[in-house]
Amino acid sequence: MEGLATAPQPLKALAPQQVEDYHATGLLGLDSFVRGDWLAKLQDATQEMAEESRTVTESNDQFDIEPDHTPDNPRLRRLMKPQDHHPVFAEFAMNGPIVDLAEDILGPDLKFHHGKLNFKWSGGGAEIKWHQDIPFWPHTAYNVLTIGVALDDIDDQMGPMGVVPGSHKGPIYDHYDSDGNWRGFIGDADLENVDTASAHYLKGPAGSITIHHCRAVHGSMPNNHPTKARPFLLFAYSAANCLPLMPHNQQSRFNGAIVRGRHPDYPLFEGEPCKLPPMRSKSTRSIFQAQQGN
Ligand SMILES: O=C(O)CCC(=O)C(=O)O
């Protein structure tokens, strides 16, 4: 694949082998990377947000809720734009230790794309079907990645995210159905060509990290833990010369913020185009709404 960023020297958080592994497989997992104060502050902010969601009766620009969410029994799917709703999330996205990881992989000029906090509630919290990220938000090139932080311990039962190694070097699959409707996942016929059985699952103690390439095929099963939600904080970054081709689905004052280095003189273009998603609409507000149809 063309256009891979050269890792800056010296690296700030990763070993050279880890950067190489990321480029070879399209994913990287790091156990207990976020610790101490940062982890405690993120967990507290998450708890505050879950409490705030009790008053919500239908999904809005902040909370994506399951159909049976109630004040006594909140069932959150996602907090959209966590960076806009709590200063701890904003500070973490702009200056937290994960920014070094993004810089080590993408290079010194680094841009924030978007953030989300997927809750995947206990007792069946929604699956996320196999998909690639880049069809949701195409860019001029593919130096785009997402960093996920487990905000609680995650085990097999809790629907950990699985990423198919090497799939970032394969095709970009159609995320529309055969009638041309946006569905936000890869159809069964295409999935036959993806070795989902080889997926690497992010499990581990709270503070563990996953990094996945924007073309990597990934997804997760429902959370079948009887009592524990699976809060998983995700922030996407790109090399600064890799520009979004469509408006962001959600307006955030952080969209496009340069978090390291400088705004580039020229954009980077990679040859292979990505089919565009529909223009912003209710059905594209969150992957849960697109995939589950509610
Ligand atoms: O929360 C997960 O398990 C997967 C996250 C993801 O793929 C997404 O939100 O696009």
Side-chain angles (χ1 to χ4, degrees):
M1 214 185 312
E2 292 166 22
L4 291 179
T6 310
Q9 294 295 329
L11 296 171
K12 293 187 168 159
L14 293 172
Q17 185 61 49
Q18 289 175 307
V19 176
E20 230 173 87
D21 289 349
Y22 169 82
H23 287 306
T25 61
L27 67 104
L28 199 63
L30 300 171
D31 269 5
S32 303
F33 179 80
V34 181
R35 299 162 183 262
D37 269 7
W38 260 126
L39 184 57
K41 283 194 291 185
L42 291 170
Q43 288 171 329
D44 289 349
T46 301
Q47 189 55 38
E48 271 179 52
M49 291 292 104
E51 284 305 315
E52 194 177 323
S53 80
R54 287 181 191 271
T55 55
V56 170
T57 52
E58 59 181 36
S59 294
N60 57 28
D61 280 347
Q62 181 174 1
F63 296 111
D64 177 352
I65 57 174
E66 290 189 2
D68 51 354
H69 172 99
T70 64
D72 292 336
N73 183 28
R75 292 190 63 82
L76 267 175
R77 290 195 292 211
R78 174 179 282 182
L79 168 68
M80 329 263 209
K81 305 186 285 187
Q83 72 281 359
D84 284 25
H85 298 299
H86 200 294
V88 165
F89 294 128
E91 182 58 20
F92 186 75
M94 299 296 122
N95 293 311
I98 60 170
V99 182
D100 285 343
L101 299 174
E103 184 179 342
D104 281 353
I105 291 174
L106 296 172
D109 298 323
L110 195 65
K111 192 167 51 171
F112 177 79
H113 185 257
H114 78 280
K116 54 210 170 191
L117 170 48
N118 287 350
F119 276 90
K120 206 181 274 269
W121 219 258
S122 57
E127 78 167 318
I128 295 188
K129 296 176 185 169
W130 296 110
H131 66 283
Q132 293 160 302
D133 287 336
I134 202 69
F136 289 80
W137 20 271
H139 280 62
T140 54
Y142 297 101
N143 293 333
V144 191
L145 54 73
T146 300
I147 301 183
V149 188
L151 294 180
D152 203 340
D153 301 350
I154 298 182
D155 64 24
D156 275 324
Q157 194 186 10
M158 296 169 76
M161 187 179 78
V163 185
V164 180
S167 54
H168 67 308
K169 294 186 174 173
I172 300 174
Y173 293 102
D174 200 340
H175 287 54
Y176 286 84
D177 68 18
S178 52
D179 295 326
N181 301 308
W182 176 253
R183 62 181 165 196
F185 60 90
I186 302 171
D188 289 342
D190 280 337
L191 272 185
E192 282 178 16
N193 302 315
V194 184
D195 184 10
T196 52
S198 71
H200 172 98
Y201 286 88
L202 172 84
K203 296 173 275 187
S208 296
I209 289 270
T210 175
I211 307 176
H212 67 273
H213 189 282
C214 64
R215 296 173 63 137
V217 175
H218 60 288
S220 57
M221 307 287 278
N223 176 6
N224 290 321
H225 194 286
T227 55
K228 282 179 71 176
R230 191 222 58 173
F232 188 40
L233 180 64
L234 296 138
F235 289 119
Y237 301 89
S238 74
N241 61 1
C242 193
L243 306 185
L245 290 169
M246 293 195 36
H248 281 68
N249 267 358
Q250 283 121 32
Q251 297 313 308
S252 161
R253 65 201 159 94
F254 297 97
N255 287 351
I258 298 291
V259 291
R260 292 275 165 87
R262 58 185 282 275
H263 180 68
D265 295 330
Y266 292 97
L268 177 69
F269 291 100
E270 278 184 64
E272 187 188 349
C274 171
K275 192 168 178 178
L276 299 176
M279 284 302 281
R280 186 152 60 101
S281 71
K282 199 162 181 250
S283 65
T284 58
R285 200 157 59 186
S286 116
I287 192 171
F288 294 101
Q289 290 160 337
Q291 292 191 350
Q292 312 290 329
N294 61 33

